[in-house]
Amino acid sequence: MYENELDRTVSQALTALADVAGLLDVGSHEATRGVVDAASAIEMVSALERAVGRLPASAQRRDAALTLRALRAELLAQRLTQQRHQLALLTQQLAGLRTASTLDDLVAAIPVETARLGYERVMFSWVKDECWVPTGSYTSSGPSESREILAAGGPPYYPVRYLNEVDVVRKRASILVLDARLNPRVHPTISPVSRSVTYVAAPVVARDRVAAMLHVDRNTETGLNDDYDRELVELFAQSLGVMIDRLLDAPGDRGSRPSDVDADWLAALTAREREVLELVALGLTNAQIGARLYISEHTTKTHVKSVMRKIGAANRAQAGAMYHQLRQASA
């Protein structure tokens, strides 16, 4: 419903802008060029308002000004609706990430959950000795592109002091890069693979330093990024830092991977079934597991049934409890 409403608002804006262009004796293509969303439509409204302001007083000027004022109000209302929608998504995705019981679990979940905010590609990277260390990635086109982008990031890992990300690390500031294809300070090996036009990078602060960075590009609505994306991702990254700090404070070896645990019933599972069991234990739904592992919801359901049959669990809750008991016993 939200996307349909957004499309309708943009379509109405294009019509109104073309109407004003006719009143100003300006080509409609000039008045609608580059208008793809509410933000770009508001920019065009501002440009036309300036043009109207330079005209001599007349009924035509008054009609154009009133049309633009009404359109601005409508677009601002739509922009507010969009922001509320994304903030609600942010709260929802953060709630899902808080179920992670280990740092590895959290890091594995971050790219997928961030993408659900409305981005086609996400990368989570550690920052070690001021080097950019890509760690996890999600792309809507599938795992192949994710692997290519991660591989392009090293090793050897690139120092951030030569990149736009130097401000992310040293100033603890999020950045919005609007000229990624021409900017000489983009990552020299990731950029040719990702071919990003715009992107956002935000700092993840833990242990009172920038421990990681969160990158997004390709807003699913526009294919580009703007200041609102920067603000949203920065807020999301701040919460991730708090989660990382809490997991680092947790007792015991919180970073061990369940695939290293040796047990008779666990050994009976395939590698994929062990991955599915881990995510079931985190409380994820079949749809969420499928998105994380790049498999269909139907295939996920088949794996879950096989796992519960092999380990003798009556339901998902029992399977999760058995998994956590095994983790604790092996700690």
Side-chain angles (χ1 to χ4, degrees), residues 24 36 71 85 95 97 102 109 118 152 195 216 241 254 261 266 273 277-278 291 304 309-310 317:
L24 299 177
V36 294
L71 179 57
H85 173 78
L97 288 170
T102 71
R195 298 183 295 279
V216 307
R254 307 300 290 172
V261 177
L266 186 60
E273 287 170 345
L277 175 58
E278 175 187 359
V304 170
R309 175 176 52 79
K310 288 183 179 181

Side-chain angles (χ1 to χ4, degrees), residues 272-273 276 295 299-308:
R272 176 64 84 192
E273 287 170 345
V276 169
I295 58 179
T299 300
T300 301
K301 185 177 181 181
T302 300
H303 284 313
V304 170
K305 286 183 177 180
S306 178
V307 166
M308 290 197 290

Side-chain angles (χ1 to χ4, degrees), residues 36 62-63 76 98 122 167 172 180 197 238 250 256 295 299 318:
V36 294
R62 185 176 62 254
D63 289 345
L76 288 174
R98 290 191 186 99
V122 179
D167 287 338
R172 300 186 179 188
V197 177
Q238 288 174 359
S256 61
I295 58 179
T299 300
Q318 185 181 3

Side-chain angles (χ1 to χ4, degrees), residues 7 24 35-36 42 73 121 147 170 176 197 201 233:
D7 291 341
L24 299 177
V35 176
V36 294
I42 290 173
R121 300 194 300 194
R147 289 192 293 267
R170 296 183 180 176
L176 168 64
V197 177
V233 175

Side-chain angles (χ1 to χ4, degrees), residues 249-304:
D249 287 337
D253 180 10
R254 307 300 290 172
S256 61
R257 298 296 295 167
S259 58
D260 296 331
V261 177
D262 186 18
D264 290 341
W265 62 263
L266 186 60
L269 303 180
T270 66
R272 176 64 84 192
E273 287 170 345
R274 287 195 290 271
E275 290 177 321
V276 169
L277 175 58
E278 175 187 359
L279 299 177
V280 166
L282 287 176
L284 272 64
T285 66
N286 287 345
Q288 291 171 325
I289 293 172
R292 184 83 62 85
L293 300 180
Y294 297 100
I295 58 179
S296 70
E297 187 173 352
H298 176 75
T299 300
T300 301
K301 185 177 181 181
T302 300
H303 284 313
V304 170

Side-chain angles (χ1 to χ4, degrees), residues 36-37 118 120 196-198 217-225:
V36 294
D37 57 9
E120 293 184 12
S196 299
V197 177
T198 64
D217 74 352
R218 294 186 185 174
N219 183 298
T220 54
E221 294 173 1
T222 67
L224 302 172
N225 303 104

Side-chain angles (χ1 to χ4, degrees), residues 219-248:
N219 183 298
T220 54
E221 294 173 1
T222 67
L224 302 172
N225 303 104
D226 59 20
D227 275 320
Y228 183 70
D229 293 320
R230 181 184 58 76
E231 294 169 1
L232 184 72
V233 175
E234 180 177 39
L235 179 59
F236 197 73
Q238 288 174 359
S239 296
L240 294 180
V242 174
M243 295 180 197
I244 289 173
D245 259 330
R246 288 175 176 169
L247 289 173
L248 290 172

Side-chain angles (χ1 to χ4, degrees), residues 168-187:
V168 177
V169 175
R170 296 183 180 176
K171 297 182 180 180
R172 300 186 179 188
S174 59
I175 61 172
L176 168 64
V177 178
L178 297 174
D179 57 347
R181 288 187 175 177
L182 301 175
N183 194 304
R185 293 178 65 82
V186 299
H187 197 294

